Amino acid sequence: VGTSSLRAVLVLVALVGLWAPPVVSRQPNFIVILADDVGWGDLGANWAETTETPHLDELAAEGTRFVDFHSAASTCSPSRASLLTGRLGVRNGVTHNFAVTSVGGLPLNETTLAEVLRAAGYSTGAIGKWHLGHHGHHHPSFRGFDYYFGIPYSHDMGCTDTPGYNLPPCPPCPRHGTPARIPRKDCYTEVALPLFENVTIVQQPVNLSSLAARYAEAAARFIRRASGRPFFLYLALAHMHVPLGVSPPPPPNSGRGIYGASLSEMDALVGRIKRVADSHGKGHTLLWFAGDNGPWAQKCELAGRLGPFVGAWQRQRGGSSAKQTTWEGGHRVPALAYWPGRIPAKRTSHALLSTLDIFPTLVALAGAALPPNRRFDGLDVSPVLFGWSDVGHKVLLHPNSGAAGKDGEIETLRLAQYKAFYTTGGAMACDGSVGPAQHHQPPLVFNLARDIQEQEPLDVASREYQAVLPAISRAYAQALQDIATDNVSVADYSKDPAATPCCNAQHVACRCHQPGTHAAVPERHTGRRATRLCL
C-alpha cells in the first residue's frame, strides 16, 4: 500500500471513530420519571410564565430538552402500558383505564421493559402509580419489578383522611360509627386508597400529605441499595393529578396557588432524585423525565398549562383540547434527558419523539434484545439522545383516548409537520362543555409548522392539501395494515368487587393500622389472605 493510500485509510478510520458511539464500559443505570397530567407549559424551560420548576429547568440546562415529545396516549393506563411495552394500545390490548374492581390488566403475554432489563442483569424498581392491573399476576411484583412501593391506580380512586384539593372537593373516608355518606359524583367513598410495598398493603387509607416525601425516600433507598448492579427505576409520580396534596397549604394570593405549590413540590422531588443519582455515580445514570398525558382541563385552576398547544379549532366548537383528546394539548408533554458526559447539555431537540421510544432505547443501551414475535411502535432514539441526529419518527400515531371515537383506535396521525384528524372531539372543559365527536373524510389537516395552535385546517382545495393528502393516506393505510397483521393482545376489562384491594374488610372503608390490626399480607406469605385483598 502506498504512503498516500495509507494516509487516506488512517484519516478515514479517524473520521469513523469520531462518529462511532462511545464504548459503554458497563451497563448504565436508568431512571424514568413519569409525571401525571402535567402540561407542556408547566416546565419553566418551555414556558416563561412558569416559575415553579427551578430543578427541572436545571435538568434541562444540564441535559437535552425535547419540545416535540408525545405521550403514547392521552389517558393513564394506555399511556403507561405503551411506555412499558413500546407498543400502542391497539397492539398491547390496553385501550382505556382499569378500575378499582378490575380483574385484569396489561395482558400477561406482553413483555415489560422491567422484565427485559431484569433478564439483562438489572435490579428493577417501580415507585408510585401503577394503573396496569393489581389483581393476581397483574401486580407490578409479577411484571418484572424486584421492588414496588406505591398506589395501584390513580390516587383519586379511593378515599383518604387527607383528601387534598379537587374539583369538586371529595370528602374524607368515613370513620367507624359515622353515618353513611351520600355518594358524590366523581368521588370514591366506599374503599380507602391503599399503599403497597411489594405485595403488602402497608397503609389504607394513604396519607396524601406525606406521599411525595415517602416516594422520594423509597426511590433514594432503592438507588443506594443497588449494590453494584445496574438498576432501572420507574418513578411514576402522583403529581400533577388531582387531588393535589400540599402541606402546608400555600398562603392566599400566592401566584398559581395550590397548583403552583404542588408543582414546586414535584420539582423539588425530581431535584432530590437527581442529586441522589449523581452521588451514586455521576455519569453512569440516564435520567429521563416525561409526562403521561396533558392537563385535565375540567379541573379548572387545578389543571396545568398547555403552553401554545390550545387546540383552537376544537375550543371554538366546545370542550377541552387537553387530556383524553388527540389535540396537541392532550399528548404533547414536557420531556428532558440527563446523562452527564453522554447527553449534550443546553441542547433543545425538535425531533418527533414519544414515550414509546423509551422501551427500545433503554433495551439497546443495556445491550439487551427486543422481545421476539411482535412489532414495536417505538424507536431506538439513542442517536437523538447523544446529539448525533435530530431525526425521530416519520409517522406518529395518536390513539383515541376517551374524548371521541372508539378507545384505542387510530384516527389521528402525524406525518412530518402535518397532522391529520379522521375524528375530532373535545373532552369535558372547565365550563362543563364537551365537544361532540365529528368524523372527517377526507381528514382535517393542520400544518403545525405555522399553526401550532391547531386553529385553521388546510383548505381541501389548496395546492398544499392536495400535495400532502396522498402521503397521509398511504401512511395511514400502511399503519393500519401493520397493526392488523401483528401479534396483538387483548386485555381483560372485566370487574369483580372481590378484586378490590382491602387490608381489612371488617373495618369501615377497609381501614388498617387501627388498634389490634396489621398490614395485609397475601396468601403466598402467610398461608391466608385478608378478605378482598387484591392478590
Side-chain angles (χ1 to χ4, degrees):
V1 179
T3 303
S4 60
S5 298
L6 179 60
R7 185 179 297 114
V9 170
L10 291 174
V11 169
L12 180 60
V13 169
L15 288 173
V16 170
L18 288 175
W19 288 100
V23 176
V24 178
S25 59
R26 70 182 201 188
Q27 290 173 303
N29 305 313
F30 302 127
I31 300 175
V32 174
I33 301 179
L34 191 68
D36 202 340
D37 289 2
V38 68
W40 189 91
D42 282 335
L43 190 65
N46 284 347
W47 200 242
E49 295 176 23
T50 298
T51 60
E52 297 92 350
T53 59
H55 296 97
L56 284 164
D57 298 342
E58 179 183 72
L59 204 64
E62 296 179 5
T64 293
R65 178 173 64 105
F66 304 101
V67 294
D68 201 356
F69 192 96
H70 301 261
S71 58
S74 299
T75 193
C76 299
S77 296
S79 175
R80 290 153 203 275
S82 291
L83 187 157
L84 289 173
T85 64
R87 288 155 53 86
L88 289 165
V90 285
R91 298 186 199 269
N92 67 39
V94 181
T95 57
H96 54 287
N97 290 339
F98 293 104
V100 173
T101 56
S102 285
V103 172
L106 175 65
L108 299 179
N109 58 304
E110 289 289 324
T111 304
T112 69
L113 177 56
E115 289 170 324
V116 175
L117 293 179
R118 186 162 70 175
Y122 277 71
S123 175
T124 57
I127 294 171
K129 174 177 172 178
W130 178 240
H131 215 171
L132 293 175
H134 51 268
H135 184 67
H137 283 188
H138 296 288
H139 185 280
S141 292
F142 301 98
R143 304 312 305 264
F145 290 102
D146 299 318
Y147 178 73
Y148 175 62
F149 182 79
I151 297 170
Y153 28 71
S154 294
H155 67 286
D156 64 340
M157 295 171 64
C159 63
T160 71
D161 294 333
T162 53
Y165 300 89
N166 200 348
L167 285 175
C170 290
C173 284
R175 292 186 177 274
H176 181 69
T178 58
R181 298 179 182 274
I182 299 173
R184 184 175 297 182
K185 189 175 183 289
D186 299 326
C187 291
Y188 290 74
T189 58
E190 299 300 317
V191 179
L193 191 67
L195 178 66
F196 277 82
E197 184 165 30
N198 297 320
V199 295
T200 301
I201 298 176
V202 295
Q203 190 179 45
Q204 194 171 12
V206 175
N207 183 343
L208 292 181
S209 299
S210 62
L211 187 61
R214 295 185 74 173
Y215 281 175
E217 290 163 6
R221 190 165 55 248
F222 173 80
I223 292 170
R224 292 188 183 113
R225 289 179 177 174
S227 301
R229 289 177 62 194
F231 68 81
F232 165 51
L233 172 61
Y234 170 54
L235 176 56
L237 304 177
H239 301 82
M240 298 298 297
H241 198 293
V242 293
L244 302 178
V246 183
S247 182
N253 305 317
S254 59
R256 291 176 73 188
I258 297 299
Y259 192 89
S262 186
L263 188 59
S264 293
E265 184 179 63
M266 180 189 78
D267 179 72
L269 192 161
V270 174
R272 179 178 175 187
I273 299 304
K274 175 181 176 287
R275 289 192 300 273
V276 172
D278 284 345
S279 67
H280 185 76
K282 193 168 185 176
H284 298 300
T285 301
L286 165 59
L287 192 160
W288 201 329
F289 172 90
D292 76 327
N293 48 245
W296 199 357
Q298 76 181 72
K299 298 301 177 177
C300 304
E301 70 268 19
L302 300 182
R305 283 191 168 122
L306 292 169
F309 307 107
V310 296
W313 188 92
Q314 184 61 57
R315 282 194 173 183
Q316 293 164 5
R317 290 157 179 78
S320 154
S321 56
K323 178 179 178 177
Q324 298 179 320
T325 79
T326 55
W327 298 98
E328 290 295 289
H331 52 74
R332 192 181 294 224
V333 293
L336 308 167
Y338 167 79
W339 188 358
R342 300 297 174 89
I343 291 178
K346 297 184 174 63
R347 176 171 175 257
T348 298
S349 169
H350 295 269
L352 179 59
L353 303 182
S354 167
T355 51
L356 289 160
D357 304 326
I358 293 174
F359 184 107
T361 302
L362 299 195
V363 168
L365 291 172
L370 291 173
N373 305 319
R374 70 202 69 189
R375 298 179 192 144
F376 293 86
D377 298 290
L379 305 174
D380 172 9
V381 297
S382 50
V384 179
L385 290 185
F386 295 139
W388 307 329
S389 166
D390 207 33
V391 177
H393 291 260
K394 294 179 181 178
V395 176
L396 188 62
L397 308 177
H398 300 300
N400 297 336
S401 298
K406 183 179 178 181
D407 288 339
E409 286 197 354
I410 308 299
E411 295 182 297
T412 306
L413 78 151
R414 174 84 175 271
L415 175 67
Q417 75 268 35
Y418 294 101
K419 188 172 177 186
F421 291 83
Y422 290 88
T423 294
T424 56
M428 182 175 289
C430 176
D431 62 7
S433 67
V434 177
Q438 295 184 46
H439 300 286
H440 306 278
Q441 192 60 257
L444 284 185
V445 178
F446 295 84
N447 184 339
L448 298 181
R450 62 171 183 265
D451 184 16
I452 204 67
Q453 296 184 340
E454 296 172 301
Q455 183 168 2
E456 189 67 35
L458 300 181
D459 184 343
V460 295
S462 70
R463 184 174 298 175
E464 183 179 14
Y465 187 96
Q466 293 301 319
V468 75
L469 182 61
I472 288 172
S473 299
R474 280 196 303 273
Y476 189 44
Q478 288 169 0
L480 296 183
Q481 176 66 16
D482 184 74
I483 292 166
T485 56
D486 191 15
N487 181 9
V488 301
S489 301
V490 178
D492 177 5
Y493 277 96
S494 63
K495 299 177 183 178
D496 185 340
T500 304
C502 183
C503 71
N504 194 325
Q506 304 305 312
H507 290 155
V508 64
C510 292
R511 287 181 177 275
C512 54
H513 282 171
Q514 292 188 0
T517 70
H518 302 280
V521 181
E523 183 176 4
R524 66 190 180 104
H525 284 179
T526 64
R528 63 180 185 280
R529 72 179 199 179
T531 307
R532 295 172 66 202
L533 184 66
C534 70
L535 297 169

